[in-house]
Structures are given as structure tokens and as C-alpha cells.
């Protein structure tokens, strides 16, 4: 069971975007950072365990060429082995900051020169694997940035061309050392999933076809791809083969966020039906089959949920954002 904790006030409502919440836990400082997008700005908040907001910072999208302020599409902390960067994507480009948002260390402008006039240009979908940060784009290409141990000498090292429609989300998990280990999965508006192995050159391991509905959110855990779809389904696939193991009719409306607590194998799903569900994933040691149990369901009444994340790696607490809701709701296990 989870109980409601004190909420964290926001200066303004979260924008109606999928995956509109990022969480970074700093156990050494007993702090948790939260990041939320609102129009042309992103709000960063630091909170103590009891929910008291200690600091707030507002970041704005770099203007670039154009007359109107560009809208931000996502904010996400990327934990690399040697540093943590905050990545902000918008309709103009990709901005990377030190983890507290104080210093911008890199700016990559999007080139929409080959896009048709009616095509919106944007970046969306952010994940880190090893010393790489991957960012999705409107064209379906995934940009791979090589990140140094310190300093601003970030390099665009590769562009992955597995998708034909806009990327929606990217997920990663640390590779365990096996040669065929899948450690990156990318999703797009058609529902197509691409599974990759990262390295000096990324390798496409599997393409998991869509079925006519977008895949707004995706996660990766111990070789299992968890994908949330626009029809409310959660599907679990074998990462390296694309084999469908489990299909859950989890929600009545489109899923807007998935998250994983890696220490316990808990999966969080949130959707436009106002519900947040928590599931337990296990792999049967004898058969290798994936088994799923339902742990908890939480209704966020009269709210268009747009972001939800676990606040710790064991999945004992989670946070939720909603459109037209000027606070971050927090829940913890009783």
C-alpha cells in the first residue's frame, strides 16, 4: 500500500506532455531533484524527504533562430558513470547542463532544413548509456553524443536511422558485459521499437513492429522491454529477439509514462485514465518466462496525468504530475 505524502508546489502547471517528470535522487545529500516542463521553461526543484522544497530554478529554451520562444519538449537527468548531466530538448535544439542547471555545457541546434514546411521540428526522448547520451528527433533519427569525463567537449558521434516517424521515448540500462546485451531501446509515433547495443558503433539488434498505435513511453530491465501504448496496453518483450511475452490491458486510455525500479523489478504505468499502477516483474528461473503481478493502483481524480516516476531505485515511493495541477504529488509505501 502507498499513502499520500506532502506535495511539492510548482510555480505553474506541468505541460500536457508525456513523460513530463524527471527525478534525480541524491542519497548523500538526502535530497531529491524534480524536473517539470511548462511551455518555454523547465522548473527544477530540490526537496528534502519530508517534501519541503529547498530550492527552485527555472531554465529556458535557447532561442535560436525564430521570433517566438521555443517550447520545451522534455527535461531529463542522465546519470553517466562519471558525471550527471541535465538534458533539455525543445523545438530549437538540445541543451546540456551541469546537474543543478547552473551551467550550460553544450548546445546542439536542430537543422530542419530538409523538413517539409508543415513538419514540426523538435527533439524528444533522452537516455544515457555508458559515456553516451542518446536523444531522439522529429525525423526519427537518434543523435548519439559522446560525453567526456568533465568539461564541455561533447561530440555528436553517430546518428541512428532505425525510425521513419518521430521518436517518442528512449530507455537504457547498464550493459552486463555479454556481447549481445541490449542496453538501449527507442520508440516512435508508429509504435515501432528498435533495440540497440551501444558501443563505439551502435548495433541494431531487433526491430519490434508497431500495431497502429503510438508508443509514448518505454523502459528496459534485465533484457526485458516494457512498452506503454496509446491504447492503454503495456507489452513486455524479449529485448534481443523481440518476442512478445506478456500483454497487459493496463489502462482505459493512452499511457503517458512508464518507469522502472531496477532493484525490485517494479514497473510503474500512468495514463490519461487518471490511474497510476505498479506492477512486479519476475523472470521464472526454470522456464525463463516473464511473470507479472499487480501491486498497487492509485487514482488521481480529475487530473490529466502527464508524468510519473519512482523516487528511489527500490520503488518504495513515486511522484506524479498532471496538466493544470500546480504541484507534484508524492506517494510512499506505508
Amino acid at each position: 500500500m502507498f499513502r499520500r505524502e506532502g506535495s511539492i508546489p510548482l510555480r505553474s502547471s506541468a505541460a500536457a506532455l508525456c513523460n513530463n517528470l524527471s527525478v534525480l535522487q541524491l542519497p548523500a545529500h538526502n535530497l531529491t531533484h524534480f524536473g517539470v516542463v511548462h511551455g518555454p521553461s523547465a522548473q527544477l526543484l530540490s526537496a528534502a524527504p519530508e517534501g519541503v522544497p529547498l530550492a527552485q530554478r527555472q531554465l529556458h529554451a535557447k532561442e535560436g533562430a525564430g521570433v517566438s520562444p521555443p517550447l520545451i519538449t522534455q527535461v531529463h537527468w542522465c546519470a553517466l558513470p562519471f558525471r550527471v548531466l541535465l538534458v533539455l530538448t525543445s523545438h530549437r535544439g538540445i541543451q546540456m547542463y551541469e546537474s543543478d542547471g547552473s551551467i550550460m555545457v553544450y548546445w546542439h541546434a536542430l537543422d530542419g532544413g530538409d523538413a517539409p514546411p508543415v513538419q514540426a521540428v523538435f527533439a524528444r526522448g533522452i537516455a544515457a548509456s555508458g559515456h553516451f547520451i542518446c536523444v531522439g528527433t522529429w525525423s526519427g533519427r537518434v543523435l548519439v553524443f559522446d560525453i567526456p569525463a568533465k568539461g564541455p567537449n561533447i561530440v555528436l558521434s553517430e546518428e541512428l536511422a532505425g525510425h521513419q516517424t518521430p521518436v517518442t521515448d528512449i530507455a537504457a540500462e547498464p550493459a552486463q558485459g555479454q556481447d549481445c546485451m541490449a542496453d538501449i531501446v527507442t520508440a516512435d509515433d508508429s509504435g515501432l521499437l528498435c533495440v540497440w547495443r551501444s558501443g563505439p558503433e551502435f548495433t541494431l539488434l531487433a526491430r519490434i513492429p508497431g500495431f497502429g498505435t503510438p508508443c509514448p513511453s518505454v523502459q528496459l530491465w534485465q533484457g526485458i522491454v516494457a512498452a506503454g501504448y496509446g491504447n492503454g496496453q503495456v507489452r513486455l518483450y524479449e529485448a534481443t529477439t523481440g518476442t512478445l511475452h506478456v500483454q497487459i490491458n493496463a489502462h482505459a486510455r493512452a499511457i503517458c509514462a512508464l518507469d522502472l525500479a531496477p532493484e525490485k523489478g517494479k514497473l510503474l504505468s500512468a495514463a490519461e485514465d487518471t490511474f497510476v499502477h505498479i506492477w512486479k516483474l519476475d523472470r521464472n528461473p526454470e522456464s525463463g518466462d516473464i511473470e507479472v503481478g499487480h501491486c498497487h493502483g492509485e487514482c488521481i481524480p480529475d487530473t490529466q496525468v502527464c508524468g510519473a516516476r519512482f523516487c528511489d531505485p527500490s520503488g518504495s515511493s513515486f511522484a506524479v504530475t498532471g496538466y493544470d495541477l500546480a504541484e507534484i504529488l508524492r506517494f510512499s509505501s506505508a
Side-chain angles (χ1 to χ4, degrees):
M1 283 294 295
F2 285 77
R3 66 173 184 272
R4 177 87 177 265
E5 298 285 341
S7 60
I8 300 172
L10 295 170
R11 289 182 181 175
S12 49
S13 155
L17 300 167
C18 291
N19 306 307
N20 191 2
L21 176 63
S22 185
V23 175
L24 175 68
Q25 192 182 33
L26 299 173
H29 300 89
N30 208 19
L31 283 178
T32 305
H33 289 337
F34 298 90
V36 182
V37 172
H38 173 77
S41 66
Q43 300 175 70
L44 309 181
L45 304 97
S46 302
E50 60 273 12
V52 178
L54 303 177
Q56 291 199 25
R57 186 187 297 272
Q58 204 156 19
L59 298 180
H60 295 273
K62 189 175 170 70
E63 293 285 336
V67 291
S68 58
L71 296 177
I72 296 175
T73 51
Q74 193 175 1
V75 61
H76 185 72
W77 276 282
C78 290
L80 301 147
F82 37 76
R83 70 197 290 192
V84 177
L85 291 181
L86 177 70
V87 181
L88 186 151
T89 57
S90 73
H91 288 254
R92 295 274 197 273
I94 300 158
Q95 296 161 234
M96 298 187 188
Y97 293 83
E98 297 294 354
S99 62
D100 61 356
S102 60
I103 301 170
M104 186 167 73
V105 295
Y106 184 73
W107 156 252
H108 177 86
L110 294 176
D111 179 12
D114 55 351
V118 295
Q119 173 69 59
V121 174
F122 58 88
R124 178 179 63 191
I126 308 163
S129 178
H131 57 92
F132 299 104
I133 289 179
C134 302
V135 181
T137 67
W138 85 100
S139 67
R141 288 187 171 268
V142 176
L143 308 181
V144 180
F145 297 94
D146 194 342
I147 312 297
K150 59 181 180 179
N153 296 322
I154 295 167
V155 177
L156 175 62
S157 61
E158 193 174 355
E159 294 189 20
L160 309 180
H163 297 275
Q164 301 299 316
T165 59
V167 174
T168 51
D169 196 23
I170 304 178
E173 73 167 343
Q176 305 300 315
Q178 295 100 317
D179 286 341
C180 63
M181 175 58 71
D183 55 1
I184 293 276
V185 59
T186 55
D188 71 21
D189 268 344
S190 74
L192 171 70
L193 307 177
C194 290
V195 182
W196 310 82
R197 183 178 68 241
S198 65
E201 289 189 4
F202 279 53
T203 304
L204 179 62
L205 300 179
R207 288 168 63 92
I208 304 172
F211 50 95
T213 186
C215 178
S217 197
V218 69
Q219 290 291 326
L220 186 58
W221 179 73
Q222 294 189 1
I224 301 168
V225 174
Y229 291 94
N231 62 355
Q233 286 184 352
V234 174
R235 294 187 174 198
L236 305 179
Y237 300 93
E238 193 71 40
T240 51
T241 63
T243 303
L244 175 64
H245 281 286
V246 179
Q247 176 179 302
I248 310 166
N249 292 318
H251 294 272
R253 297 204 174 186
I255 288 175
C256 60
L258 293 182
D259 196 23
L260 262 165
E263 289 183 0
K264 300 291 186 181
K266 290 181 180 178
L267 176 70
L268 178 152
S269 64
E272 294 177 1
D273 61 359
T274 74
F275 277 90
V276 177
H277 290 296
I278 294 176
W279 316 84
K280 180 72 172 67
L281 309 185
D282 284 298
R283 193 185 283 273
N284 188 302
E286 296 177 2
S287 65
D289 291 340
I290 299 168
E291 300 171 348
V292 182
H294 184 260
C295 301
H296 181 74
E298 190 76 44
C299 180
I300 316 295
D302 305 319
T303 302
Q304 182 181 335
V305 176
C306 50
R309 290 275 176 184
F310 286 119
C311 298
D312 60 275
S314 65
S316 62
S317 58
F318 65 93
V320 181
T321 59
Y323 176 65
D324 210 19
L325 185 69
E327 58 185 348
I328 300 173
L329 306 179
R330 300 191 316 141
F331 301 84
S332 64
S333 54

